[in-house]
Amino acid sequence: MAEKKTAPQTLEDPGDAALKAMARMQAADPGSAARMYMAWFEGMGEIGREAAQFAAERIAEDVKTQHAILHCRNPAELMQIQREFLQRALDQYVAEGGKLVQMGNEILEEAVAKSRQ
């Protein structure tokens, strides 16, 4: 029995598909794309501000921890300071990651809604 040969399938790059969709939307209503872009850029600015604020808060935590380490009196106290620092950092990074994902979802929803106005 002869083997059946099929032509290789090519998958469309998701980025290309998104660009094509944007081009179609812009051609149909140039204002909708502009509204969507503005909402997107404003939202990305909010994410940037949030990330900068988080970084500043984490630096403050680092300084506070360094101060505590410099003033600790024994290895057990040092280990406790480090353990608390790591736990607090983990909790804060997880919370911030969730917050940024939520912000990204909200930005996307708003941008799509503005493109339909």
Side-chain angles (χ1 to χ4, degrees), residues 60-70 81-82 85 88:
E61 288 285 336
D62 293 351
V63 170
K64 187 171 112 179
T65 300
Q66 289 299 318
H67 180 77
I69 288 171
L70 289 172
I81 291 167
Q82 291 175 326
F85 172 79
R88 190 169 39 253

Side-chain angles (χ1 to χ4, degrees), residues 3-61:
E3 281 187 42
K4 182 178 178 182
K5 292 188 178 183
T6 59
Q9 292 182 330
T10 58
L11 299 175
E12 186 173 17
D13 181 344
D16 289 343
L19 287 174
K20 287 176 185 176
M22 291 296 298
R24 286 191 303 271
M25 181 178 72
Q26 200 166 13
D29 179 9
S32 69
R35 288 187 299 274
M36 186 179 78
Y37 292 143
M38 286 306 297
W40 181 261
F41 289 133
E42 289 170 3
M44 294 310 291
E46 291 173 21
I47 284 180
R49 283 188 293 279
E50 175 63 31
Q53 179 65 35
F54 177 75
E57 290 169 3
R58 287 297 314 142
I59 290 169
E61 288 285 336

Side-chain angles (χ1 to χ4, degrees), residues 64-84:
K64 187 171 112 179
T65 300
Q66 289 299 318
H67 180 77
I69 288 171
L70 289 172
H71 290 88
C72 75
R73 299 193 187 277
N74 58 58
E77 186 180 352
L78 174 61
M79 288 177 55
Q80 181 63 29
I81 291 167
Q82 291 175 326
R83 188 176 356 202
E84 289 172 359

Side-chain angles (χ1 to χ4, degrees), residues 91-112:
D91 293 345
Q92 289 173 337
Y93 275 103
V94 168
E96 186 67 14
K99 186 174 185 179
L100 291 174
V101 167
Q102 180 63 33
M103 288 176 75
N105 289 338
E106 291 169 1
I107 290 165
L108 182 58
E109 289 171 8
E110 184 176 342
V112 170

